[in-house]
Amino acid sequence: MTTISWFESYWAGMKSEVGGKAASLGEMTGAGLPVPPGFAITTNAYRRARDEADLDAQVARLLYGMDVNDTDSVTQRCAEIRRLIETMPIPEGIELQIRGAYLELGARAGTKEVPVAVRSSATSEDSPDASFAGEHDTYLWVRGVEDVIDAVRRCWASLFTDRATCYRVEMGYDHRSVEMCVVVQKMVHPKAAGVAFTLDPTNGDRSQVAIDAAWGFGEGVVAGEVTPDNYRVDKVMLDVTKRVVSSKTHEYVLTDHDSVEKVETAPDRVDAPCLTDTEIKAIAKLAKTAERHYGCPQDIEWAVDLDLPEGENIILLQSRPETVWSKKGPSAVVAPGSAPGDFMSSIVSTLMSPLHSKGAGSS
Amino acid sequence: MAGKFPLPSEITTPPGAEGWQELYAYSSTCSPARAEYEDSMFWFQDGVHWPKPLLPWDASLMEVAIVALSQYNTRHLLVPPANGIDFRIVNGYTYLSPVPAPEADIPARAEQFMQRAGHYFVNWNQLYENWLVKIRDLVKGMEALEFSPLPDVEPLEVVTSGAGKGAGGQIQANYLELLNSASTLWQYHFEFLNLGYAAYLDFFGFCKQAFPGISDLAIAKMVAGVEVDLFRPDEELKRLARMALDTGVAEAFSLGDVTATCEALKSSGEAGQAWISSFEQSAEPWFNFSTGSGFSSQDKIWIENVEIPFEFIRGYIDKLRSGADIARPTEAISAERDRIVAEYTSLLASDEDREAFHGKLGLARVVFPYVENHNFYVEHWSHSVIWRKMKDIGGVLAKEGFLEEPEDIFYLKRHEVPDALFDLYHSWAAPAPPRGPSYWPPLVAKRKQILTALEQWKPTPALGTPPEVVTEPFTIMLWGITSDSIANWLGGGAGEDGSLSGMAASPGVVEGPARVIFGPDQINEVQEGEILVAPLTAPSWAPIFGKIQATVTDTGGMMSHAAIVCREYGLPAVTGTGFATSTIRTGQRIRVDGSNGKVTVLD
């Protein structure tokens, strides 16, 4: 029985042990779409802790005869169950494994108390889409192993939020049929971040990747508050074909108290390119992989993580289908229904057309 | 387009070169009689093929080459928008001017072109096979032409066989035959070449339309062949290096001197003999390989300068000993080609596009072996034979004191050679004193002086008024002349930041010390890790591509022979910068950005 499952060792057979969110992070990692690194604490860990603490009997007692319309009663009963979960002993072997995994993640990031996001990832036999997963908790900027353990308990406990509990009761689901996996994932600490399109947004050219990038967190780029550097990469040849370095007067950075704030950029970095060629190409590769994975042009958010070693530091934050050019539909060269086999007329018109004088040789 | 170049009529003769026009055919130089026409045209200097002032006889090959190009466009195929290319020799340098077809003729020409060119495209493989037979026969015929000193007495069988003619007449006939063969050679050359480029351009245009940002390099890589005759000489060198190591005769190459190496090989028993005979087998025809573009009698040819291939072989032996893999990664090249094609295919918008893409790519690949390989057969192999035969004629004339040395033959114009041969014939037949020994040597000496003076002249990249936009397809393809490159020339070359721009001929960015060389004689100056800066490079420089980090040239387009080799060796290259050799000095650190066509001097 696995307790800890790193994203990169995920395979499809594990889905029931890790829940929807962790499965999707694992799938993305496996598909070459590097999300921030991390691991899942599988449902086995929750189940063993639950069973050894004999939780089920206590839960059954507390929920016996509950009326979902009696809000006060629901709130009180659920709070009691959550308190039980947050204080139950965790089997020693399991706790050691969680501590070990957190330390290893810190070692990978080169920082001891690496800040992580601790997220719940519920699974359910009854409701395969686990549509209530979003009801459960997420804790950001958790630092240090004790706080991580604490957050894990709170994620487990979030199985018994008022709404989730009522939902199961109303649907007639057994509370035991829902289990909780917890995802521990490094918080992104971006040197630079931004967006990328897997086509040229100016003309829809699908052989290009367009990248907008600025220092720090990507908020400013997404919101359009910062004029980002603009790079163009040939998607097939992976050459940087265009670079426009802008004056990036502001940037979003992480403060001492773990919040993201907008500050003035240090003077020597205002006009400096925020990405190296290696990073530009890696982002283009990532965008290309996302496009292939999802089967259509993508609009991605990415970050270059300061803590992770080169080769692992390009992180995919989000990928969604590109909409502007995709709505227009494909711009074919050959008109539908025309005969592409008439090569002589095509050669004649090629010789007649000044197209090449603009493009040829002057890339 | 802002700015202009000097008019042909405004060009003055450099000091010491007065009378240079006498070195060339009267029709090839500018003159007041045609000044109005000449000044109205746009001329660009062809430094790709003729980087230096032309020797008088060498001009013949330029003339037959360009006239054959024109003939095919205008009279055989009727390329719809493009007539031929006019040429002028200006201060010894070759300037070319595309002649557009009259607008009104284009529709009728298009119809004829479809029929005529269509025949070639449909029957390409068969016609190309036939071409290879024709070209080999032509070489054989030229090889058979004999230019020996005239005999004191004709052999008896000349009399008894009733031949009725002798050596004096024959040597004149043979020279004319050689000239005719050169003309035929160049007609053969252009029988296919522009059609090959047209099919390539058609694919090129499709790619640019489907993917406006696609690089020329990506297109070239999809079409390029894996097995290419132009790389065969280099392959033969590698094979011979391996053989020397495998059979234990490699030590002979550490002697560093051709004669000593040959002696050592001969005295090392069967293995050495076997190596020598294997070398001789490779040499014909593959070492009929010029160190230049093949268009200059002064460029060295491997087979006649065995120290060149020997030095390259020694370099390969050293590499093999150090454990390097010198084999051409043909599998990787072909896998990369497949990957690129597959990726673009998957990015196309419709099935119709995919069908058209593959159709055009297919045709481009059918025609491309000719585009890549003809260069070896024509410019290298056939020209090598022509230069050799001319030197034989020079030898005959030198023996009678007409010339100081055989190579001086190239200082005669093509129609002066029959005059000299007639003088020789006459003096041999009479016998009577020839005028040649007092006539030619001073003339040759004067011409040498003039050419030295012309070499000091820095040719302006173009003359006359540039067109609004360059649309002539072959100018773009062969010479890399685009609206952008003309604007670049007018701007004087260097950008605001002191950088030079040119064609992004082969991608990658490197920094390193520059080595500026002006011709093949300086190849051995190039050191490991340097960046080669040259007016142009030739395919036969391939063996030093293993030494250098990048290449920068003054001239050349994407499909120039130099660019093909640069890509093959995976080195960053910027071609057609216009001013690299006059801006950069040996030893300066430079950055070459082959992906964006930029060269920056860092010192």
Side-chain angles (χ1 to χ4, degrees):
Chain A
M1 284 297 211
T2 318
T3 303
I4 301 294
S5 164
W6 290 87
F7 296 162
E8 57 270 28
S9 52
Y10 173 84
W11 62 283
M14 291 173 73
K15 189 156 185 181
S16 65
E17 287 174 54
V18 297
K21 184 173 290 170
S24 122
L25 291 167
E27 267 170 27
M28 286 176 76
T29 305
L33 299 171
V35 296
F39 56 87
I41 302 164
T42 66
T43 53
N44 304 319
Y46 169 69
R47 198 179 313 117
R48 260 192 66 197
R50 179 190 71 186
D51 291 351
E52 288 194 16
D54 199 17
L55 192 69
D56 289 330
Q58 303 179 63
V59 170
R61 198 172 60 244
L62 278 165
L63 293 183
Y64 181 76
M66 185 181 80
D67 174 5
V68 294
N69 297 314
D70 181 350
T71 324
D72 287 348
S73 162
V74 168
T75 304
Q76 190 231 323
R77 290 172 194 229
C78 289
E80 180 57 22
I81 295 173
R82 291 205 299 276
R83 195 191 57 77
L84 278 174
I85 297 175
E86 282 166 22
T87 54
M88 72 184 178
I90 301 178
E92 196 185 349
I94 288 177
E95 192 175 322
L96 277 176
Q97 286 195 58
I98 297 173
R99 286 170 180 270
Y102 176 75
L103 290 178
E104 194 184 325
L105 186 61
R108 274 170 67 173
T111 51
K112 227 173 171 187
E113 305 243 297
V114 58
V116 291
V118 181
R119 309 169 191 274
S120 46
S121 174
T123 81
S124 167
E125 290 165 16
D126 300 321
S127 167
D129 65 346
S131 57
F132 45 88
E135 302 298 326
H136 307 306
D137 290 1
T138 290
Y139 303 94
L140 300 177
W141 299 107
V142 180
R143 286 177 191 264
V145 71
E146 301 309 329
D147 287 7
V148 168
I149 299 274
D150 189 50
V152 170
R153 287 170 177 282
R154 280 189 278 151
C155 282
W156 285 344
S158 71
L159 273 174
F160 291 92
T161 59
D162 300 1
R163 281 188 67 180
T165 311
C166 290
Y167 177 81
R168 286 194 295 270
V169 170
E170 282 176 340
M171 301 299 288
Y173 293 160
D174 181 356
H175 296 293
R176 283 182 55 100
S177 71
V178 185
E179 294 186 318
M180 185 59 88
C181 160
V182 180
V183 171
V184 177
Q185 190 177 21
K186 183 186 174 305
M187 291 302 294
V188 176
H189 183 198
K191 169 198 132 176
V195 297
F197 289 90
T198 63
L199 47 72
D200 182 338
T202 62
N203 58 13
D205 182 350
R206 288 200 54 200
S207 74
Q208 306 291 307
V209 176
I211 299 171
D212 277 353
W215 295 113
F217 286 84
E219 271 87 339
V221 178
V222 176
E225 288 174 59
V226 174
T227 305
D229 292 348
N230 177 245
Y231 303 100
R232 193 75 41 82
V233 183
D234 187 297
K235 196 191 284 177
V236 179
M237 310 304 283
L238 286 176
D239 286 321
V240 182
T241 50
K242 184 182 150 194
R243 52 190 104 214
V244 179
V245 177
S246 308
S247 281
K248 300 169 287 296
T249 51
H250 290 82
E251 62 179 315
Y252 281 83
V253 295
L254 185 65
T255 64
D256 294 342
H257 43 282
D258 286 345
S259 67
V260 176
E261 278 177 19
K262 185 177 173 182
V263 298
E264 278 190 16
T265 309
D268 61 323
R269 302 201 315 156
V270 171
D271 293 315
C274 65
L275 295 175
T276 64
D277 270 25
T278 314
E279 289 161 352
I280 296 169
K281 286 179 197 174
I283 294 162
K285 258 190 212 166
L286 171 59
K288 189 173 159 180
T289 310
E291 178 180 61
R292 194 174 298 159
H293 184 74
Y294 295 109
C296 63
Q298 296 288 301
D299 163 3
I300 69 163
E301 285 176 34
W302 53 265
V304 181
D305 196 292
L306 270 175
D307 304 327
L308 297 173
E310 195 176 311
E312 296 173 27
N313 58 346
I314 310 295
I315 298 296
L316 177 63
L317 303 174
Q318 191 169 42
S319 190
R320 55 182 168 240
E322 189 277 342
T323 50
V324 178
W325 287 94
S326 305
K327 259 186 213 150
K328 290 187 186 171
S331 53
V333 179
V334 180
S338 70
D342 185 7
F343 66 91
M344 277 315 296
S345 339
S346 171
I347 286 174
V348 168
S349 71
T350 289
L351 289 171
M352 297 301 304
S353 145
L355 170 79
H356 334 291
S357 58
K358 294 171 194 145
S362 57
S363 41
Chain B
M1 193 168 281
K4 57 185 287 221
F5 298 99
L7 297 175
S9 62
E10 293 167 351
I11 296 295
T12 53
T13 297
E18 290 76 15
W20 65 267
Q21 289 88 343
E22 296 303 313
L23 273 60
Y24 308 108
Y26 78 96
S27 59
S28 297
T29 58
C30 293
S31 64
R34 288 191 290 184
E36 198 182 323
Y37 159 78
E38 283 154 357
D39 284 352
S40 74
M41 299 287 280
F42 174 67
W43 308 83
F44 62 86
Q45 191 232 338
D46 182 347
V48 176
H49 303 99
W50 300 283
K52 287 186 162 185
L54 288 161
L55 266 58
W57 200 87
D58 296 8
S60 320
L61 287 190
M62 182 277 283
E63 289 157 349
V64 295
I66 303 296
V67 83
L69 181 158
S70 298
Q71 167 195 342
Y72 267 93
N73 276 10
T74 310
R75 308 292 170 190
H76 290 237
L77 299 168
L78 291 96
V79 173
N83 267 327
I85 291 198
D86 201 358
F87 58 85
R88 290 289 184 277
I89 300 172
V90 178
N91 284 343
Y93 294 86
T94 302
Y95 284 80
L96 304 177
S97 181
V99 181
E103 198 79 28
D105 296 356
I106 290 176
R109 288 172 71 115
E111 220 162 283
Q112 303 218 54
F113 175 79
M114 290 221 234
Q115 186 188 4
R116 291 162 181 236
H119 175 78
Y120 267 80
F121 287 127
V122 169
N123 301 292
W124 191 276
N125 285 333
Q126 187 199 336
L127 288 164
Y128 178 42
E129 240 166 73
N130 186 36
W131 185 88
L132 286 169
V133 173
K134 286 192 301 197
I135 204 90
R136 288 202 171 96
D137 285 350
L138 189 68
V139 173
K140 216 196 233 168
M142 291 193 296
E143 288 278 18
L145 294 173
E146 233 189 277
F147 299 100
S148 316
L150 302 180
D152 281 349
V153 177
E154 291 286 356
L156 182 59
E157 59 268 27
V158 170
V159 176
T160 54
S161 68
K165 55 182 187 172
Q170 193 60 47
I171 197 166
Q172 298 193 95
N174 284 358
Y175 173 73
L176 295 177
E177 178 66 31
L178 185 67
L179 267 190
N180 273 334
S181 299
S183 168
T184 305
L185 174 71
W186 277 93
Q187 294 179 66
Y188 287 172
H189 177 280
F190 282 106
E191 179 189 356
F192 285 81
L193 189 71
N194 285 358
L195 290 175
Y197 280 130
Y200 184 86
L201 274 177
D202 187 45
F203 177 63
F204 185 97
F206 179 90
C207 291
K208 288 273 174 190
Q209 223 180 320
F211 306 109
I214 193 171
S215 66
D216 297 3
L217 176 73
I219 301 173
K221 281 207 163 180
M222 287 192 270
V223 177
V226 176
E227 303 289 343
V228 179
D229 285 347
L230 194 57
F231 303 137
R232 183 71 184 272
D234 192 32
E235 290 300 302
E236 291 297 318
L237 296 178
K238 291 174 180 171
R239 186 187 66 76
L240 288 163
R242 260 182 237 112
M243 181 182 181
L245 279 170
D246 293 348
T247 60
V249 300
E251 216 36 58
F253 289 86
S254 58
L255 300 169
D257 168 77
V258 180
T259 327
T261 303
C262 285
E263 284 310 313
L265 285 168
K266 277 180 197 153
S267 60
S268 56
E270 260 177 52
Q273 295 293 344
W275 192 91
I276 291 173
S277 75
S278 186
F279 178 90
E280 283 165 354
Q281 261 179 8
S282 294
E284 274 300 347
W286 302 112
F287 295 167
N288 283 289
F289 209 37
S290 166
T291 54
S293 64
F295 276 100
S296 167
S297 57
Q298 306 302 295
D299 290 336
K300 288 183 174 157
I301 295 158
W302 287 7
I303 200 168
E304 287 158 41
N305 298 270
V306 181
E307 70 280 2
I308 300 170
F310 267 39
E311 183 59 27
F312 288 146
I313 289 169
R314 193 168 71 100
Y316 281 135
I317 288 174
D318 289 348
K319 284 214 155 157
L320 285 168
R321 276 188 174 139
S322 73
D325 180 12
I326 59 169
R328 214 170 143 250
T330 47
E331 269 178 41
I333 293 170
S334 105
E336 170 71 352
R337 192 169 87 144
D338 293 347
R339 177 192 72 84
I340 296 171
V341 170
E343 288 204 25
Y344 283 113
T345 305
S346 74
L347 294 172
L348 285 166
S350 68
D351 286 344
E352 282 94 343
D353 275 7
R354 276 182 279 276
E355 194 185 331
F357 177 77
H358 281 277
K360 288 171 198 296
L361 174 60
L363 184 63
R365 282 185 177 174
V366 166
V367 302
F368 219 58
Y370 177 81
V371 174
E372 291 175 312
N373 293 333
H374 79 275
N375 183 237
F376 175 77
Y377 292 98
V378 178
E379 282 95 328
H380 291 277
W381 188 10
S382 302
H383 277 195
S384 294
V385 174
I386 293 173
W387 302 128
R388 264 203 302 279
K389 291 294 166 185
M390 285 304 298
K391 278 180 222 167
D392 288 350
I393 298 173
V396 171
L397 290 171
K399 190 165 171 282
E400 300 305 324
F402 283 54
L403 300 171
E404 280 178 14
E405 39 193 348
E407 283 76 14
D408 287 348
I409 189 74
F410 300 111
Y411 290 86
L412 269 57
K413 294 190 261 192
R414 71 169 174 275
H415 292 306
E416 290 173 336
V417 176
D419 284 352
L421 288 174
F422 185 81
D423 188 3
L424 179 83
Y425 177 22
H426 168 215
S427 68
W428 166 79
R435 189 177 168 197
S438 61
Y439 183 84
W440 295 111
L443 195 64
V444 167
K446 186 178 169 222
R447 290 177 178 182
K448 284 182 176 174
Q449 267 177 7
I450 289 176
L451 279 162
T452 309
L454 291 177
E455 275 186 39
Q456 305 309 309
W457 189 68
K458 175 79 195 155
T460 158
L463 297 169
T465 313
E468 280 299 312
V469 58
V470 178
T471 57
E472 204 284 310
F474 304 119
T475 310
I476 298 164
M477 199 74 193
L478 252 83
W479 285 281
I481 314 287
T482 65
S483 303
D484 287 350
S485 59
I486 292 172
N488 186 25
W489 293 337
L490 284 168
E496 279 169 19
D497 52 349
S499 65
L500 290 162
S501 36
M503 309 263 164
S506 187
V509 183
V510 296
E511 289 178 10
R515 169 67 62 176
V516 185
I517 70 171
F518 293 93
D521 293 349
Q522 290 176 284
I523 286 187
N524 53 7
E525 295 172 17
V526 179
Q527 305 294 316
E528 192 83 34
E530 289 183 329
I531 294 173
L532 176 67
V533 180
L536 76 168
T537 68
S540 63
W541 297 18
I544 62 158
F545 279 59
K547 258 189 188 178
I548 57 176
Q549 283 203 64
T551 304
V552 179
T553 66
D554 289 347
T555 56
M558 275 310 290
M559 298 316 296
S560 65
H561 307 308
I564 292 175
V565 181
C566 288
R567 287 195 291 272
E568 167 69 17
Y569 280 78
L571 295 172
V574 178
T575 59
T577 60
F579 305 90
T581 56
S582 55
T583 312
I584 300 167
R585 293 186 311 278
T586 291
Q588 279 183 318
R589 281 190 68 75
I590 60 174
R591 180 191 300 126
V592 179
D593 181 348
S595 312
N596 295 290
K598 267 213 169 335
V599 182
T600 317
V601 178
L602 301 172
D603 289 344

